[in-house]
Amino acid sequence: MLDTLRDVLINHNANVHRGAYRLSAVATDLYDEARRKISRFINAPSERTIVFVRGATEAINLVAYGNEHLFQQGDVILLTLLEHHSNIVPWQLLAKRRGLKLAFVDISADGRLDMADMREKLSSLKPKLVGVTQLANSLGTITPIEEVVTLSHAVGAKVLVDGAQGISHLGVDVQALGCDFYVFSGHKMYGPTGIGVLYGRPERLAEMQPFQGGGDMISYVSVEGSGWADVPQRFEAGTPAFPEAIALGAAVDFLSRFSRQDLREHERELLTYASEVVGKEQGVTLHGPGAASGAQTTVCSFSIEGVHPHDFATIADTHNVQIRAGNHCAMPTLRKLGVPATVRMSFGVYSVPSDIAPVVEAIREARKMFA
Ligand SMILES: Cc1ncc(COP(=O)(O)O)c(C=O)c1O
């Protein structure tokens, strides 16, 4: 990925879609090829369903703005208590603009989606749109998105799946899943920052209004008005982050070298081991459904009695462990669990069991210091 990014910046650095000269034509070809790679990676029906954006957050905002005209006052958007702030706040802003109501599906004490509550809210509220994460970044909960899509479509709701974590840790086949939108960020799948993807079913993208205007998203411009380019360019105003998009294609090549099953097994094993080792330390409480449940992967979130997560993260840093502490941009989730913040280990393809020993050392040191 890094080599590709460097190569594009050094050797193919000309704006795409300006193609009268070779540099631009090559950059455009590479950009188009990246779109095709990403389309194949998620089994989209066509590369025209892949919109390049800055990341999952921008993708969700694009869906919220682009579909604004389809919502009427009083319509309901159903989210879940497992969502990242970026799958809550854009809908709150939309709700304010259009007079909509938001509702949230509850979670259990161990952080699983309460499917009985989801069924009840789907049938009583008849939401227009359901937004659900595939894999919660706060707790590592895997949600039953197939079931959510089926149940939601049965009441006429469209479904946006937040795949920011799911894309690299679980994978997706958007056609088999049948979701209306699927969003993800490059930097959470071994790609660069500043690039991400909105996948939309063709009919969903066709009914969306442009969100930003400018170059590249038009078919013509006159002083009286403008016409829109076809999808997906309609939603890609201005100079795109083409080096990052092409490098995201290289990240897809990298991830595609592994079997999905191997990747999932690797992260499941690490989670099992880490939960066991860290969980038996004095004062440690693990959060989430637990590795053995099959409903959690890759993330091990915990609290240490008497030690603030931020203090712990500072101590862990001295053990050369860079660990995330705080609310993980999921304040409603943590509030429901009754904890203000947690410490979170998260694993990837490069993680190994020996990464966990320094975490245990840091826990002991922190307990000695604070508890
Ligand atoms: C589940 C989930 N959704 C959305 C986001 C937002 O992603 P980004 O900040 O790359 O737009 C994140 C980032 O942590 C996430 O983990």
Side-chain angles (χ1 to χ4, degrees):
M1 186 281 282
L2 291 169
D3 289 345
T4 301
L5 189 56
R6 188 180 148 83
D7 179 52
V8 175
L9 288 170
I10 293 174
N11 298 312
H12 313 294
N13 198 350
N15 206 346
V16 294
H17 304 144
R18 310 286 189 273
Y21 44 94
R22 260 174 307 141
L23 263 185
S24 173
V26 172
T28 304
D29 285 349
L30 292 169
Y31 185 55
D32 292 346
E33 176 54 22
R35 203 189 296 273
R36 281 192 290 275
K37 270 184 199 171
I38 290 157
S39 170
R40 286 194 296 268
F41 187 58
I42 62 170
N43 195 31
S46 141
E47 70 263 27
R48 289 191 300 280
T49 62
I50 304 298
V51 183
F52 282 123
V53 288
R54 272 172 50 230
T57 302
E58 188 171 274
I60 297 170
N61 278 281
L62 170 56
V63 174
Y65 275 96
N67 287 288
E68 185 163 334
H69 62 292
L70 300 176
F71 288 93
Q72 313 295 333
Q73 189 169 3
D75 281 347
V76 174
I77 293 176
L78 184 60
L79 306 170
T80 87
L81 284 183
L82 281 177
E83 302 311 309
H84 186 280
H85 296 164
S86 63
N87 201 19
I88 298 176
V89 183
W91 305 118
Q92 289 175 332
L93 291 171
L94 175 64
K96 215 168 203 173
R97 293 196 300 275
R98 297 291 287 180
L100 314 182
K101 293 181 189 139
L102 295 190
F104 289 82
V105 175
D106 207 357
I107 55 174
S108 60
D110 67 352
R112 294 183 216 216
L113 260 196
D114 180 340
M115 290 307 288
D117 191 49
M118 170 154 272
R119 273 192 206 89
E120 198 283 308
K121 287 190 167 122
L122 281 172
S123 77
S124 65
L125 302 174
K126 299 275 182 304
K128 268 232 157 133
L129 183 132
V130 173
V132 63
T133 188
Q134 183 183 12
L135 170 54
N137 65 305
S138 52
L139 301 173
T141 307
I142 301 169
T143 60
I145 44 170
E146 294 79 6
E147 197 183 345
V148 172
V149 170
T150 307
L151 293 172
S152 303
H153 282 172
V155 300
K158 294 167 192 168
V159 183
L160 177 142
V161 176
D162 175 356
Q165 299 292 334
I167 188 73
S168 65
H169 301 292
L170 300 171
V172 71
D173 175 334
V174 289
Q175 290 191 82
L177 179 61
C179 59
D180 297 273
F181 302 103
Y182 186 89
V183 306
F184 55 96
S185 301
H187 67 103
K188 296 183 192 301
M189 53 179 290
Y190 313 105
T193 50
I195 190 75
V197 169
L198 163 66
Y199 156 79
R201 283 165 78 127
E203 63 273 31
R204 293 284 91 85
L205 294 180
E207 68 192 6
M208 273 170 57
Q209 295 289 334
F211 169 33
Q212 294 186 316
D216 248 23
M217 53 74 71
I218 45 82
S219 56
Y220 74 93
V221 176
S222 71
V223 290
E224 288 81 26
S226 307
W228 311 141
D230 288 339
V231 172
Q233 273 74 30
R234 185 177 303 171
F235 305 114
E236 297 180 357
T239 298
F242 66 92
E244 289 79 5
I246 296 165
L248 181 58
V252 163
D253 290 340
F254 169 71
L255 265 174
S256 304
R257 295 215 303 251
F258 305 94
S259 89
R260 264 293 156 199
Q261 211 179 337
D262 285 352
L263 282 177
R264 288 177 73 155
E265 190 54 24
H266 172 68
E267 291 172 3
R268 199 191 59 76
E269 274 173 14
L270 281 166
L271 175 67
T272 304
Y273 174 66
S275 307
E276 201 179 296
V277 171
V278 167
K280 66 179 187 230
E281 285 301 303
Q282 223 186 352
V284 168
T285 304
L286 298 176
H287 304 289
S293 69
Q296 182 181 343
T297 189
T298 213
V299 164
C300 180
S301 218
F302 60 96
S303 312
I304 312 166
E305 197 187 356
V307 183
H308 192 281
H310 287 156
D311 290 328
F312 177 72
T314 308
I315 291 170
D317 192 31
T318 66
H319 291 257
N320 206 23
V321 176
Q322 321 289 305
I323 204 160
R324 182 80 188 264
N327 61 49
H328 314 294
C329 298
M331 287 167 88
T333 311
L334 296 204
R335 187 171 189 183
K336 169 75 192 182
L337 297 184
V339 287
T342 71
V343 179
R344 186 186 70 181
M345 289 189 272
S346 45
F347 308 112
V349 288
Y350 42 68
S351 306
V352 289
S354 59
D355 291 338
I356 292 150
V359 179
V360 172
E361 283 164 26
I363 292 171
R364 291 180 185 164
E365 188 183 327
R367 288 274 301 170
K368 222 180 274 167
M369 203 178 278
F370 291 101

